Amino acid sequence: MKATNFDFDPDALGRKYQEERDKRVRVDGNDQYQEVTGEFAYFVEDPYIAKELQRDAIREEVEVVIIGGGFGGMLAAARLREVGIDDFKIIEKGGDFGGTWYWNRYPGASCDIESYVYFPLLEKTGFVPKQKYTNASETLEYCDVIAKQYKLHDSALLQTEVTATDWDETLGRWIVSTNRQDTIKARYVVHSNGPLNRPKLPAIKGISDFKGHTFHTSRWDYDYTGGNAFGGLVGLKNKRVAVIGTGATAVQCVPHLGASAEHLYVFQRTPSSIDERNNTPTDPNWMKTQTEGWQNERRRNFESIMSGAPVKEDLVSDGWTDAFRLLFGNLKDKAPSKLRVAMWALTSVVSGERYKVGFRQYLTNKVTDFMDLARSMELADYEKMEGVRARADRLVNDEKTAEALKPYYRQFCKRPCFHDEYLPTFNLSNVTLVNTDGKGVDQITSEGIVFEGKEYKVDCIIFATGFEVGTDYSRRAGYQVNGVKGKSISEKWADGLSTFHGMHTRGFPNAFFFGPAQSAFTATYTYSLDEQSVHLAHILTVAAKKGANRIEASDAAEKKWVQTIIQKARLTADFQQKCTPGYYNNEGKVNAKPQNNTYGGGPIEFFALMKKWRSNDNLKGLELR
Ligand code: NDP
């Protein structure tokens, strides 16, 4: 395909993307970050508990232990209650339910996925979110609504951290130990510890020399900053503040910091892609007129569009679906242009629906060969990102700053952001963007941050540097899982993940793993957690009917599933390889372990596969005793 009729030079852009990527790739990959242990352990202390719980250690036996009181753990409990399994304990290290939303209360924290699809169980609770895009406070409030409705507090051990889970073959039970010296025996254990739960810090030279105040965004210190999740950070009035990192979290809190701090320095390594937000209040009448099953239909519709699957209409209609729908032309009543087709194919690759969808349209439009298609996809992405970059020019007054805020990579290389106040914040006279141009800061001193020989003296450093993703499972979980004959999950997965449906792994009977690994990846993360919860409830119901109390993936079924994951992962390798590094592409070390991927067929295909698997009571692939 000839690159004609564009307002940009695609070849020059291609070279620019490559240069921007190359200068960011580091040999140390995930090792550039350090664990928040030892002298950094204070970064993960809970600043939100009003009073530390005092209680005696517990010795107990239950049917199910659920580790994690975030949406995953809450949904698992709710779905178990629905099928009549009430003998469970939820163990949560935080002071209450909420998981991600318990920890991430930074000013401006909000969910960039529409609340009507993001909040699970809306039809059961009757809750009406106030706005199309909710915020952290309302999300926590909603967690409490779910907890109350399903009486989860009665079955919870809060402020309690699991330290180990050990399988006892003789007893046929898991022994769950905690930091409060509890010993709980459980027939089943659900591991729902959250994929982005462990904050990470960059291993910047001198990081421990800093004498000022410091914290991670997921443990916001309101005692220091004043204000709350809606802003008003009066404690920063006379403070010079630095933020390290410019990902989705920083994009939401920087406007509040800019509004309150005496001076704010934003240290940027790679800019995020920032499109418009346009939040709107909920029309309560609209909510009332929805008929039964509306929420499932809506979240399915949303994820279908995100997967490039055809739908009759776009129910959510927002920045996410616009990007996919308008550019990919996947509404049935629209004849897709070549550009849309190309973009559709691109996101199909990104989101997992892959080439099969792209190819359908590819043939329809008689694009001549595969190279043409790949080129078309690239051009369409350039065009979309030119729009995002033009937005920076429109909203940021200073030309040099605007240029530095422009992302030069394909849109889905990193999580796209939608925000109306972030870019204009850089017009404030008390806000400085320190663009490290891919390098990151050089050093932290007792008084501030050094980049290219200049020291920026600050009173406070806020790390908006994200969470561990590519590290060992037990390190992220915070506890080890020891299965049959004491073999640990770290040993089992040392050379890569190995599961059946992402949920079971041989050698770890009666353990259920929640999360996207070798399972579905959805933009609406609560959707896949809910599907996993329904799946769990089904398996435990069938096992009870059959009188089984030991459930384990068969060797053959697990090997076959791993092969499925690997085969499908190959298709995205090229795209990810060209992306600027980040946790989406294992910090640039793509496919080092191709089995460490989500299900490549996309979530809608995965959910259908699981539904079919559940349609009879065979539990094929699981050995029951
Ligand atoms: P990210 O991992 O997305 O961002 C971390 C940031 O820190 C990046 O900008 C990174 O730069 C930067 N960084 C790391 N090391 C250094 C260094 N040495 N010097 C300077 N900068 C550095 O974490 P976030 O907390 O922003 O977001 C994590 C995820 O949480 C999101 O991707 C999203 O999935 C979720 N989230 C969801 C929200 C929602 O609305 N639903 C809102 C907020 C977060 P570089 O890019 O160069 O690596």
Side-chain angles (χ1 to χ4, degrees):
M1 185 188 185
K2 269 196 191 143
T4 51
N5 303 325
F6 290 113
D7 296 334
F8 55 86
D9 175 352
D11 296 328
L13 264 184
R15 285 193 296 276
K16 170 89 174 149
Y17 279 24
Q18 179 80 33
E19 276 165 28
E20 294 292 328
R21 174 202 170 272
D22 290 351
K23 71 186 177 198
R24 287 175 171 81
V25 173
R26 305 165 52 124
V27 280
D28 50 3
N30 281 308
D31 294 335
Q32 68 181 284
Y33 297 104
Q34 61 194 13
E35 234 185 318
V36 276
T37 50
E39 62 174 315
F40 301 113
Y42 71 92
F43 275 100
V44 283
E45 279 168 13
D46 187 344
Y48 311 126
I49 41 173
K51 194 168 157 225
E52 189 162 342
L53 180 80
Q54 301 294 331
R55 67 163 172 82
D56 293 332
I58 288 169
R59 302 257 174 289
E60 212 175 298
E61 179 154 353
V62 293
E63 187 72 0
V64 190
V65 157
I66 299 168
I67 303 175
F71 273 123
M74 295 175 83
L75 284 162
R79 295 301 184 190
L80 289 180
R81 279 234 198 279
E82 282 174 4
V83 297
I85 301 173
D86 293 304
D87 184 18
F88 56 75
K89 267 272 173 301
I90 307 166
I91 306 181
E92 164 57 48
K93 71 177 167 212
D96 209 338
F97 289 103
T100 290
W101 298 101
Y102 176 86
W103 299 110
N104 289 279
R105 306 177 186 201
Y106 55 83
S110 48
C111 184
D112 61 7
I113 299 292
E114 192 199 64
S115 55
Y116 322 130
V117 294
Y118 185 78
F119 277 3
L121 304 171
L122 276 185
E123 285 190 69
K124 305 255 180 190
T125 59
F127 186 85
V128 181
K130 286 190 195 70
Q131 301 180 92
K132 191 170 169 73
Y133 303 98
T134 185
N135 48 53
S137 306
E138 191 183 41
T139 311
L140 266 187
E141 183 191 328
Y142 186 58
C143 289
D144 199 49
V145 168
I146 296 179
K148 289 213 168 84
Q149 179 151 339
Y150 289 88
K151 298 188 173 47
L152 302 184
H153 283 107
D154 300 347
S155 308
L157 291 178
L158 302 173
Q159 294 188 40
T160 304
E161 230 174 313
V162 170
T163 48
T165 63
D166 297 273
W167 175 248
D168 186 321
E169 189 70 65
T170 318
L171 294 177
R173 294 288 184 276
W174 283 96
I175 313 296
V176 181
S177 313
T178 77
N179 64 341
R180 290 180 177 273
Q181 280 64 57
D182 306 314
T183 307
I184 301 168
K185 290 180 190 151
R187 193 190 305 272
Y188 303 111
V189 173
V190 179
H191 299 269
S192 182
N193 42 48
L196 296 173
N197 117 77
R198 189 95 186 138
K200 67 182 194 285
L201 293 177
I204 300 168
K205 188 173 142 202
I207 190 167
S208 22
D209 296 343
F210 186 60
K211 297 276 182 280
H213 200 69
T214 173
F215 57 89
H216 187 270
T217 47
S218 66
R219 304 290 188 277
W220 197 272
D221 189 350
Y222 282 108
D223 286 345
Y224 180 81
T225 66
N228 57 32
F230 297 103
L233 310 175
V234 290
L236 299 182
K237 202 173 155 213
N238 302 311
K239 300 279 192 291
R240 298 154 303 170
V241 178
V243 173
I244 299 184
T246 48
T249 297
V251 166
Q252 293 182 340
C253 68
V254 156
H256 294 285
L257 291 168
S260 296
E262 178 190 295
H263 201 96
L264 174 68
Y265 296 97
V266 180
F267 288 86
Q268 172 183 274
R269 194 164 69 174
T270 309
S272 281
S273 136
I274 301 165
D275 220 329
E276 59 187 26
R277 175 66 303 167
N278 287 331
N279 203 356
T280 49
T282 302
D283 172 0
N285 291 326
W286 167 79
M287 206 73 162
K288 273 189 212 137
T289 55
Q290 296 303 301
T291 51
E292 198 187 331
W294 71 267
Q295 195 186 22
N296 210 32
E297 189 193 335
R298 196 174 182 90
R299 61 189 185 178
R300 196 182 151 74
N301 174 274
F302 180 73
E303 290 299 337
S304 296
I305 293 172
M306 305 291 287
S307 305
V311 293
K312 282 202 198 94
E313 59 178 318
D314 177 356
L315 295 172
V316 169
S317 186
D318 72 352
W320 288 98
T321 61
D322 274 4
F324 284 76
R325 179 175 54 83
L326 297 175
L327 289 162
F328 319 146
N330 58 351
L331 289 183
K332 275 185 182 158
D333 57 349
K334 280 195 179 178
S337 69
K338 274 189 185 176
L339 193 65
R340 284 180 182 141
V341 169
M343 280 304 287
W344 183 5
L346 167 70
T347 38
S348 298
V349 172
V350 173
S351 64
E353 275 297 302
R354 312 200 183 281
Y355 296 109
K356 69 175 186 191
V357 180
F359 267 122
R360 271 207 300 272
Q361 293 301 314
Y362 163 83
L363 292 171
T364 314
N365 288 271
K366 299 182 178 55
V367 181
T368 49
D369 62 32
F370 177 74
M371 291 311 289
D372 275 357
L373 177 66
R375 183 64 170 155
S376 301
M377 291 171 355
E378 197 169 35
L379 292 171
D381 198 309
Y382 288 155
E383 184 160 24
K384 173 70 188 158
M385 290 300 276
E386 281 289 283
V388 168
R389 291 186 282 266
R391 193 165 178 265
D393 279 330
R394 275 201 311 280
L395 297 181
V396 179
N397 301 337
D398 177 63
E399 241 175 71
K400 202 170 150 218
T401 308
E403 190 53 40
L405 286 162
K406 293 179 186 170
Y408 283 95
Y409 47 81
R410 285 197 182 190
Q411 189 175 27
F412 297 97
C413 282
K414 285 181 178 280
R415 188 176 178 103
C417 301
F418 304 90
H419 210 285
D420 297 333
E421 289 84 35
Y422 177 73
L423 291 172
T425 297
F426 293 95
N427 294 330
L428 300 174
S429 56
N430 65 322
V431 177
T432 305
L433 177 73
V434 184
N435 178 28
T436 70
D437 196 21
K439 294 191 258 309
V441 306
D442 294 330
Q443 190 181 346
I444 293 180
T445 62
S446 61
E447 290 189 282
I449 299 179
V450 179
F451 178 66
E452 290 190 334
K454 180 171 176 186
E455 184 178 23
Y456 298 82
K457 291 196 174 167
V458 291
D459 302 295
C460 174
I461 299 176
I462 301 172
F463 289 92
T465 44
F467 304 87
E468 293 192 13
V469 174
T471 51
D472 181 76
Y473 181 84
S474 64
R475 168 169 153 174
R476 276 176 289 133
Y479 59 89
Q480 189 54 273
V481 187
N482 298 306
V484 173
K485 294 186 183 153
K487 183 172 177 174
S488 72
I489 202 74
S490 303
E491 286 171 73
K492 163 116 195 209
W493 290 344
D495 296 325
L497 280 175
S498 177
T499 75
F500 177 55
H501 293 167
M503 194 177 262
H504 318 265
T505 187
R506 190 162 176 77
F508 298 79
N510 294 5
F512 296 81
F513 294 87
F514 274 25
Q518 294 198 348
S519 175
F521 177 78
T522 40
T524 318
Y525 186 49
T526 51
Y527 185 17
S528 57
L529 290 171
D530 199 14
E531 289 286 326
Q532 287 182 316
S533 301
V534 168
H535 199 72
L536 165 82
H538 171 83
I539 293 170
L540 296 199
T541 306
V542 176
K545 263 195 231 158
K546 290 181 187 284
N549 35 54
R550 193 182 189 282
I551 305 169
E552 186 176 17
S554 79
D555 190 41
E558 184 166 316
K559 285 203 171 101
K560 198 167 162 211
W561 187 252
V562 171
Q563 280 317 305
T564 304
I565 298 293
I566 292 174
Q567 274 158 18
K568 293 192 177 240
R570 281 197 192 114
L571 297 163
T572 55
D574 186 50
F575 174 84
Q576 289 182 349
Q577 196 68 51
K578 289 183 180 155
C579 277
T580 190
Y583 78 87
Y584 272 26
N585 69 348
N586 192 32
E587 299 297 338
K589 297 196 169 179
V590 182
N591 268 5
K593 292 174 186 167
Q595 62 274 55
N596 289 4
N597 267 291
T598 56
Y599 176 76
I604 297 300
E605 187 181 303
F606 180 78
F607 297 154
L609 201 67
M610 292 304 105
K611 195 171 175 191
K612 190 164 169 231
W613 185 85
R614 292 194 299 267
S615 64
N616 57 49
D617 288 351
N618 283 349
L619 303 188
K620 197 172 166 216
L622 294 178
E623 291 171 359
L624 265 57
R625 268 194 248 153

